[in-house]
Amino acid sequence: MNNNNNNSDSQPKSLFADKAYDASNSSTKPIDISKEQSASNTGQLTADKSLTNSSILSTSPTEDATKTTSKTTIASDEPLKLAVVGHTNTGKTSILRTLLRDVYFGEVKNEAATTRRVERAQLTDSQTGDVLVTLYDTPGLEDASGLMDWLEDNTASRRDGIERLQQFLAADIAQSDDALGSSEDYSQEAKVIRQLLASDMAIYVVDAREPVLGKYKDELTVLSWTAIPVMPVFNFTDSQEANIDEWQTMLARRNLHISTRFDSVAFEFADEMRLWQNLATMLTHAEMLEQLMQRRTENWARLYDEANIIIADFLLNVAAFVQEINEDDDPMPVLQQMQEAVRQSERSMQNKLLNLYKFYDNAVAATPLELQAYQQDPFDPELLKSYGIRATSGAAAGALLGLGIDAAALGTTLGLGAAIGGIAGGLLSNTGSIADKLSGVKRLYIDPATLTLLATRAMDLLVAVRHRGHAATDATQLLYEKEQTTNNDGNIELNDDESNPITPWPTHKLPSELKKARGKPQWSSLSSGKSEQAQSLRMDAAWSLSSKLQARSADNLQMN
C-alpha cells in the first residue's frame, strides 16, 4: 500500500476535483490546528505499548481544493476523502471530535457558524501509519434556500448540477465574506461546495432534534448536484426530542435510503462501526474503510484489556496495603493516613482511565470531564449503603453503621464512641496470627466492603468513558444497573433491589487474587513506597484479576 500523507502541496484527487472553480486568489486561508498530543502513562503491565497511540496522524489545513487533477474513480490504494457537511450548528465538529478521539479538534460552541473554514484531519492505521481516511470539517450551510433561488435565477435548468455549481463558484457572491460587501453573500456555501467537489463522498450531519424544514431539503438538493455519494448521519439521537422517522421519510423521497445514527455525546462503538460499514457499501473500492474498521475494532478491544489491567492493578495495590501498630497505640492517625493514601491512589487510577480513552487532564481539556460522583469519599458510610454494600460482620453488631471497623480488635482503650466519631470506616484490624498476639502488634488493612466499593466504582467509570463522546461537555454520571435517584445533598442514591446486584462480587467472596494480596504487603507501593518493584511483584495477579473483571462485566451485560 502506498502511504499517501496528503500534504498541502499535493493535488487533491477525487471524482470531480477538476470541476471545482479555481479560487487560488481568494483571501480565505484555512486554520492550522495541528496539535501534538501525548497520552499519559497508563501503566506498565501491558506488553503492547501501541495501545495508547492515537489513530490520528495529524490535523492540518485543508488541501487546496482549487488545484485540479482529473480522476474517474476512487483507486483502491488511496485514502478516502470524506467531507463532513450540514446545516450550521448540527454538530459536525462534535462528530469529528468523537471519531478522532480528540477533544481539541476544531471549536465547539452552542452558537451558529462556529466553524468558518475547512479543517482537515487524518485517520491512520495505528500499526503501519498509512493514511486511511482524510476528514474535512466544513463550515455550516447557512442559507441554502437563498442559494437555490440564486441558482434558479442565474443558471440554466437544462445544465447538469456540476455545471450549475461551477457557474455559482465563478460568481462574485461565492467569493470571500467581505469581497464586495454585497447583501448576497454565499461564501460559506462556496467553501462547502468546493470541498465537496474535491472529495470522494460526504456525510450530511442531521440534528435529530430538529423538525424537517424546507431549508434542509434545499441543502440536500444542492449536495446532490455535486454527484458524489452522500450519507445522512443523525446526531443527538439519544435525545427524547429526536425526529428520526420524519427525517427518514423525507430522505427516502430524495433517494437517500442509506443513513446511520452516530451520537457525538452518547457514544456507542457499534454505531461508529455501522457508520463506516454503511459508507463502504456506497463505494466501488472499500479496502481503506475495511482496513480502518479492522484496526479500530482491534484497538478498541485492546483499550478495554488495558483498562481492566489498570483497575485490577489498583485493587491489588490497595488490598495489599498493610500498616502495623503496637497493641496500645491509638490507631486513628494511621487509619486516617491509610484512607488518604487510598483516595489518592483511586484518583490516580481514574486519571489513567481518562487518559487511556483520550479525555486527558481535567484542567487542560477543552471540554472538562468532571468526575463528580466518582469523587465522593470512598470511606463515606452512606456511599457504601447507596451501593447496597454491607460492611464486615465483625463491626460490633452494626453499631458502627457498616463502617467496617472491627471495634473489638481496636481495644477497649479507644472506646466505641471515639471510633464512631473519629473515622469514616473502611479499615480492619487484624490480630489473627499468634506472632502478632505475642508481640503485641496490630495490622491495619482495607476491609472487603471498601475493596468491593472501589472495584464497583472503577468498573462504573470504565463503562462511562466507553460510552462518552469526545464532544460531551456535561459531567460524567455513574451508570448503574439499578434505578438511581439524587438526594437533597446532590448525592446519588440507589433503590434496593437484591435481585439485581451492582457489585462485581459479594463482599464476603473477594476474588482469590485480592485474598492473596492480603498476605503480600510487598505487593503494595502504599505500604513499601517502592512503586516499580511492587507493581512487578503483582503483575501476574493483575492479569489474572483483569480477566475476572471482564468476565463479570460480560455476565452483567447478559443479565440485563
Side-chain angles (χ1 to χ4, degrees):
M1 178 182 300
N2 296 329
N3 183 8
N4 187 345
N5 289 325
N6 293 310
N7 296 326
S8 58
D9 294 334
S10 64
Q11 294 178 335
K13 298 180 180 180
S14 69
L15 288 173
F16 302 107
D18 57 322
K19 306 297 184 183
Y21 169 66
D22 186 351
S24 57
N25 294 326
S26 171
S27 60
T28 303
K29 300 295 182 182
I31 299 174
D32 186 352
I33 58 169
S34 298
K35 291 182 180 290
E36 181 178 352
Q37 298 179 357
S38 59
S40 66
N41 181 17
T42 57
Q44 291 78 37
L45 291 177
T46 175
D48 188 351
K49 297 299 182 182
S50 65
L51 298 186
T52 58
N53 290 343
S54 172
S55 61
I56 311 164
L57 177 65
S58 65
T59 52
S60 60
T62 178
E63 296 166 310
D64 187 352
T66 64
K67 297 180 181 179
T68 60
T69 299
S70 179
K71 177 179 169 184
T72 58
T73 187
I74 302 171
S76 60
D77 61 346
E78 293 181 358
L80 174 71
K81 296 178 179 62
L82 179 64
V84 181
V85 302
H87 195 75
T88 183
N89 208 33
T90 55
K92 298 181 295 298
T93 302
S94 296
I95 280 183
L96 279 165
R97 282 188 172 184
T98 299
L99 286 176
L100 296 168
R101 315 285 192 262
D102 183 3
V103 297
Y104 300 101
F105 179 82
E107 185 177 7
V108 173
K109 291 182 180 178
N110 189 23
E111 60 186 53
T114 302
T115 301
R116 304 299 296 178
R117 295 176 174 85
V118 178
E119 298 178 356
R120 185 189 74 171
Q122 294 175 328
L123 292 176
T124 66
D125 187 311
S126 58
Q127 293 187 10
T128 66
D130 292 333
V131 179
L132 302 177
V133 177
T134 303
L135 297 159
Y136 297 94
D137 188 17
T138 64
L141 296 167
E142 298 175 348
D143 189 9
S145 296
L147 175 57
M148 280 295 299
D149 290 339
W150 187 94
L151 290 167
E152 292 293 337
D153 294 339
N154 295 277
T155 63
S157 59
R158 63 181 177 272
R159 304 181 70 181
D160 66 32
I162 289 181
E163 291 174 330
R164 299 177 77 174
L165 293 177
Q166 281 181 311
Q167 189 171 341
F168 159 66
L169 291 174
D172 291 338
I173 61 170
Q175 310 315 308
S176 61
D177 306 79
D178 57 354
L180 299 175
S182 171
S183 59
E184 286 188 317
D185 178 12
Y186 299 106
S187 58
Q188 291 300 99
E189 283 75 12
K191 295 172 188 175
V192 177
I193 291 171
R194 288 193 185 98
Q195 185 56 61
L196 283 167
L197 295 175
S199 301
D200 298 317
M201 62 192 316
I203 61 174
Y204 175 73
V205 179
V206 176
D207 185 341
R209 302 167 297 185
E210 285 289 303
V212 178
L213 302 175
K215 60 184 179 181
Y216 302 127
K217 299 176 183 178
D218 289 338
E219 288 172 359
L220 289 168
T221 298
V222 173
L223 297 182
S224 69
W225 287 1
T226 64
I228 65 172
V230 176
M231 184 180 75
V233 174
F234 296 106
N235 195 10
F236 308 116
T237 57
D238 202 46
S239 171
Q240 295 180 350
E241 303 172 358
N243 299 306
I244 295 178
D245 290 342
E246 292 82 354
W247 272 97
Q248 287 179 328
T249 298
M250 185 271 284
L251 293 170
R253 292 176 179 177
R254 281 156 180 77
N255 292 319
L256 293 171
H257 300 284
I258 300 178
S259 62
T260 194
R261 305 183 184 198
F262 186 80
D263 197 307
S264 60
V265 175
F267 173 70
E268 295 291 340
F269 184 73
D271 288 345
E272 179 186 343
M273 289 299 102
R274 195 172 297 111
L275 183 152
W276 299 123
Q277 289 168 353
N278 288 350
L279 287 174
T281 64
M282 304 169 72
L283 293 173
T284 304
H285 297 285
E287 292 86 350
M288 289 295 189
L289 288 183
E290 291 169 355
Q291 183 177 345
L292 176 68
M293 287 186 285
Q294 178 183 351
R295 194 68 70 225
R296 300 213 101 180
T297 300
E298 293 170 354
N299 290 344
W300 189 249
R302 289 173 181 172
L303 284 175
Y304 187 58
D305 290 342
E306 186 169 352
N308 279 282
I309 292 171
I310 290 172
I311 295 173
D313 183 63
F314 156 72
L315 294 173
L316 289 166
N317 196 30
V318 173
F321 188 19
V322 177
Q323 294 289 290
E324 292 184 356
I325 61 172
N326 293 325
E327 180 88 26
D328 299 327
D329 288 347
D330 182 358
M332 289 305 143
V334 177
L335 294 177
Q336 291 169 349
Q337 291 174 5
M338 292 181 70
Q339 286 182 334
E340 184 57 30
V342 172
R343 292 187 190 102
Q344 293 180 11
S345 182
E346 185 187 31
R347 185 62 53 83
S348 175
M349 177 273 299
Q350 291 171 342
N351 286 335
K352 288 179 180 179
L353 289 181
L354 295 178
N355 291 347
L356 180 66
Y357 284 88
K358 299 189 182 301
F359 289 104
Y360 302 112
D361 184 77
N362 296 345
V364 177
T367 54
L369 180 60
E370 300 175 10
L371 295 177
Q372 286 192 350
Y374 301 98
Q375 293 178 343
Q376 287 182 260
D377 188 355
F379 297 101
D380 183 349
E382 294 302 317
L383 187 60
L384 276 176
K385 291 170 62 178
S386 73
Y387 275 86
I389 298 175
R390 296 180 179 179
T392 305
S393 58
L400 296 181
L401 304 177
L403 301 187
I405 302 176
D406 190 339
L410 289 179
T412 57
T413 58
L414 174 62
L416 188 58
I420 295 175
I423 189 170
L427 297 110
L428 284 176
S429 174
N430 177 24
T431 57
S433 71
I434 296 177
D436 288 343
K437 292 180 179 180
L438 292 177
S439 61
V441 172
K442 290 181 180 177
R443 293 183 179 181
L444 306 177
Y445 55 85
I446 307 301
D447 80 328
T450 301
L451 282 173
T452 303
L453 170 63
L454 292 172
T456 306
R457 284 221 301 192
M459 295 174 72
D460 280 345
L461 178 58
L462 176 56
V463 170
V465 297
R466 284 171 62 85
H467 292 275
R468 179 182 176 86
H470 284 70
T473 56
D474 60 324
T476 296
Q477 298 299 315
L478 289 167
L479 302 179
Y480 291 111
E481 295 167 8
K482 288 186 179 181
E483 183 180 353
Q484 65 183 44
T485 58
T486 303
N487 61 24
N488 294 332
D489 297 327
N491 295 324
I492 292 176
E493 295 179 341
L494 300 179
N495 297 331
D496 190 17
D497 182 3
E498 294 295 336
S499 65
N500 188 20
I502 64 170
T503 59
W505 49 71
T507 302
H508 62 284
K509 292 184 179 180
L510 291 180
S512 58
E513 293 84 0
L514 294 180
K515 292 180 180 179
K516 183 177 181 180
R518 288 301 185 86
K520 303 287 186 179
Q522 66 273 21
W523 283 12
S524 177
S525 62
L526 305 178
S527 301
S528 64
K530 300 177 180 179
S531 179
E532 292 185 5
Q533 178 180 346
Q535 189 177 59
S536 176
L537 291 172
R538 62 179 184 263
M539 180 182 297
D540 290 340
W543 279 100
S544 176
L545 180 57
S546 70
S547 298
K548 291 184 179 179
L549 293 176
Q550 293 191 47
R552 302 276 184 178
S553 297
D555 290 342
N556 288 337
L557 287 175
Q558 292 178 357
M559 290 173 57
N560 292 284

